[in-house]
């Protein structure tokens, strides 16, 4: 296939995963248009993407719930596919503001799908999440494991998955994949783009990075009494560059018309404990990460990791980076950009 024949709309394109995937899309030769309302990302991302790729692309500042705007964009551009990252993702906030999450994530996706359909664009890669598994009975999750999200955020992902599954079943013209990401961490190896959370980070890696750079005194470890190798929680961390590659691989297969299962896990198939991540980060940064062990975080599971057999066998993709690479790149990004994109 020749990517330069294809134009892709990337929703949430200035966000953490969207920006890394956009760089890869441009480097592969795809034409792209990004839309983002900048509710959780910075306009400065655009210059960084340009600096990395030297390739021009369009950016539209706007909301995917704005039907008129989407209609105009789909009129102006002849898209072949959409990669849909736009959405809210903070678990705790989703419990505090459930209607915001239903509106942004679910209604936003429905507006997008309607406008895609009107414009005859029926190829979609959707950002789902391992949170749809909730507390699985086995620690290793395959796409067929039981689904039982434990919070509103995860519920929005499952509802969108179900809508997309029904749509594809009833109207086979739709080519759709829901990518269930495990724990994306790390940054582009250039240190030019990375994860830049607003306020206090909810996730482990940005929290550790901010302790290392001196923004926070210590890491709070949420429990050391799980039934895991060292008692702390274990997760399947995947390098953001591998995750971005997973999108390119999926998109190419869909555009070529290869039949794919609708739900696909993207992880590494290995899990690391909080203590193992701290050790790897200390090695990568030559910094000490002070920590305090506190009680478990509500809704957390002890261990979960991905069965990635299907992705390995069907996407021409496999993860290349290990936990040391992830920590090295996360630290390069943090140390080069102590205040994230706020230069
Ligand atoms: P992010 O917050 O960095 O990126 C999402 C982007 O979408 C942001 O730039 C935000 O401004 C934008 N956005 C939000 N609502 C919008 C709307 N209504 N209209 C237009 N733009 C809007 O998050 P991310 O980590 O890059 O995640 C991307 C997607 O992947 C999200 O859907 C998220 O739920 C999903 N996901 C993320 C993770 C993770 O750990 N990062 C894991 C699993 C799934
Ligand atoms: N974690 C922690 N302290 C933090 C953030 C996370 O101990 O400040 C733990 C958390 O309990 C889990 C792991 O680190 O075992 C990964 O958490 P994260 O929020 O990054 O991912 P998720 O739990 O959503 O998979």
């Amino acid at each position: 296939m020749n990517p330069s024949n294809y134009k892709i709309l990337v929703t949430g394109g200035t966000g953490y995963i969207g920006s890394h995937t956009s760089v890869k899309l441009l480097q592969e030769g795809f034409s792209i248009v990004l839309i983002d309302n900048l509710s959780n990302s910075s306009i400065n991302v655009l210059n960084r993407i340009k600096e990395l790729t030297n390739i021009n692309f369009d950016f539209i500042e706007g909301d995917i719930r704005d039907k008129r705007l989407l209609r105009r964009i789909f009129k102006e551009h002849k898209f072949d596919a959409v990669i849909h990252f736009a959405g809210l993702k903070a678990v705790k906030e989703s419990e505090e503001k459930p209607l915001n999450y239903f509106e942004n994530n679910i209604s936003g996706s429905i507006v997008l799908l309607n406008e895609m359909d009107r414009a005859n664009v029926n190829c979609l890669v959707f950002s789902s999440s391992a949170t749809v598994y909730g507390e699985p009975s086995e620690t290793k999750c395959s796409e067929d494991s039981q689904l039982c999200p434990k919070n509103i955020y995860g519920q929005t992902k499952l509802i969108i998955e179900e809508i997309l599954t029904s749509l594809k079943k009833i109207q086979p013209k739709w080519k759709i994949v829901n990518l269930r990401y495990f724990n994306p961490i790390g940054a582009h190896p250039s240190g030019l783009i990375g994860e830049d959370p607003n306020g206090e980070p909810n996730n482990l890696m940005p929290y550790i990075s901010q302790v290392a750079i001196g923004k926070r005194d210590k890491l709070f470890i949420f429990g050391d009494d799980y039934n895991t190798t060292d008692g702390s929680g274990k997760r399947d961390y995947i390098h953001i560059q591998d995750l971005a590659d997973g999108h390119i691989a999926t998109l190419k297969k869909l555009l070529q018309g290869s039949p794919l299962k609708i739900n696909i896990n993207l992880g590494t198939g290995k899990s690391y404990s909080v203590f193992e991540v701290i050790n790897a980060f200390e090695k990568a940064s030559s910094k000490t990460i002070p920590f305090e062990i506190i009680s478990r975080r509500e809704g957390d599971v002890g261990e979960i990791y991905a069965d990635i057999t299907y992705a390995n066998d069907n996407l021409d993709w496999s993860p290349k980076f290990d936990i040391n690479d992830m920590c090295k790149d996360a630290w390069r990004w943090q140390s080069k950009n102590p205040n994230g994109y706020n230069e």
Side-chain angles (χ1 to χ4, degrees):
M1 74 161 327
N2 182 358
S4 61
N5 294 332
Y6 297 96
K7 196 175 212 181
I8 315 299
L9 176 66
V10 184
T11 76
T14 48
Y16 173 46
I17 309 173
S19 56
H20 288 79
T21 305
S22 293
V23 167
K24 297 249 179 202
L25 286 165
L26 290 167
Q27 287 170 340
E28 284 280 324
F30 288 100
S31 301
I32 61 171
V33 175
L34 311 191
I35 177 171
D36 202 299
N37 65 5
L38 302 178
S39 59
N40 198 38
S41 54
S42 162
I43 191 82
N44 297 336
V45 172
L46 298 174
N47 283 335
R48 304 285 180 98
I49 298 177
K50 286 199 178 126
E51 194 177 334
L52 274 169
T53 60
N54 246 322
I55 303 172
N56 273 329
F57 57 91
D58 286 340
F59 170 68
I60 295 142
E61 181 176 345
D63 199 293
I64 55 158
R65 290 165 294 176
D66 183 344
K67 186 161 126 174
R68 281 168 62 183
L69 172 68
L70 286 197
R71 195 155 300 177
R72 183 166 65 70
I73 298 172
F74 278 98
K75 253 196 199 134
E76 271 172 25
H77 301 269
K78 163 99 199 60
F79 292 114
D80 299 285
V82 175
I83 307 186
H84 177 30
F85 294 108
L88 301 177
K89 63 164 186 178
V91 169
K92 198 162 153 237
E93 189 190 50
S94 77
E95 299 280 297
E96 291 155 6
K97 301 174 181 168
L99 287 172
N100 263 8
Y101 274 67
F102 292 138
E103 220 240 313
N104 211 309
N105 294 3
I106 303 170
S107 306
S109 298
I110 291 173
V111 172
L112 174 68
L113 286 166
N114 262 313
E115 295 313 311
M116 286 177 70
D117 200 34
R118 273 182 74 96
N120 258 318
V121 181
N122 299 110
C123 185
L124 175 73
V125 180
F126 170 63
S127 297
S128 189
S129 166
T131 49
V132 295
Y133 295 116
E135 196 164 355
S137 46
E138 323 95 7
T139 50
K140 181 176 181 173
C141 287
S142 83
E143 288 83 355
D144 300 322
S145 293
Q146 199 190 328
L147 304 175
C148 186
K150 288 272 177 276
N151 51 61
I152 297 287
Y153 164 65
Q155 199 187 354
T156 66
K157 291 293 176 191
L158 183 55
I159 291 170
I160 301 165
E161 278 197 1
E162 284 169 347
I163 290 171
L164 294 174
T165 303
S166 300
L167 189 62
K168 188 181 164 187
K169 205 163 166 189
I170 286 179
Q171 298 183 342
K173 67 178 178 183
W174 286 91
K175 300 174 189 169
I176 300 174
V177 167
N178 302 316
L179 291 177
R180 291 180 178 157
Y181 316 147
F182 279 66
N183 292 59
I185 60 170
H188 192 277
S190 63
L192 278 173
I193 54 172
E195 187 173 14
D196 181 20
N198 274 333
E200 189 177 352
N202 297 305
N203 299 110
L204 181 65
M205 184 52 77
Y207 209 106
I208 292 182
S209 302
Q210 292 196 4
V211 172
I213 201 81
K215 277 191 162 176
R216 302 194 182 269
D217 294 339
K218 59 183 165 188
L219 171 74
F220 295 95
I221 299 182
F222 301 143
D224 66 348
D225 55 352
Y226 285 104
N227 184 20
T228 57
T229 38
D230 59 22
S232 67
K234 295 184 85 173
R235 295 289 183 276
D236 184 338
Y237 299 96
I238 175 170
H239 197 298
I240 186 72
Q241 292 289 89
D242 279 330
L243 191 76
D245 277 337
H247 288 76
I248 309 291
T250 305
L251 180 70
K252 283 184 175 170
K253 289 282 175 194
L254 283 181
L255 291 172
Q256 284 164 340
S258 310
L260 286 177
K261 209 151 97 164
I262 187 160
N263 302 311
I264 303 182
N265 286 342
L266 287 184
T268 61
K270 295 186 199 88
S271 67
Y272 289 93
S273 73
V274 176
F275 291 112
E276 286 169 332
V277 176
I278 294 174
N279 284 339
F281 197 94
E282 287 184 334
K283 211 168 84 188
S285 63
S286 306
K287 298 270 177 191
T288 303
I289 307 297
F291 62 80
E292 180 186 335
I293 295 160
I294 59 169
S295 51
R296 293 180 179 193
R297 181 171 63 180
E298 210 185 303
D300 266 3
V301 297
E303 181 174 12
I304 176 170
Y305 63 100
D307 181 338
I308 54 166
T309 313
Y310 185 83
N312 274 335
D313 292 349
N314 295 277
L315 291 182
D316 295 332
W317 170 89
S318 59
K320 296 187 191 72
F321 300 107
D322 65 17
I323 193 74
N324 298 312
D325 303 315
M326 300 180 213
C327 290
K328 250 186 247 162
D329 290 332
W331 175 239
R332 187 178 302 107
W333 155 252
Q334 183 69 72
S335 51
K336 281 179 87 167
N337 306 271
N339 297 314
Y341 289 106
N342 294 326
E343 285 143 355

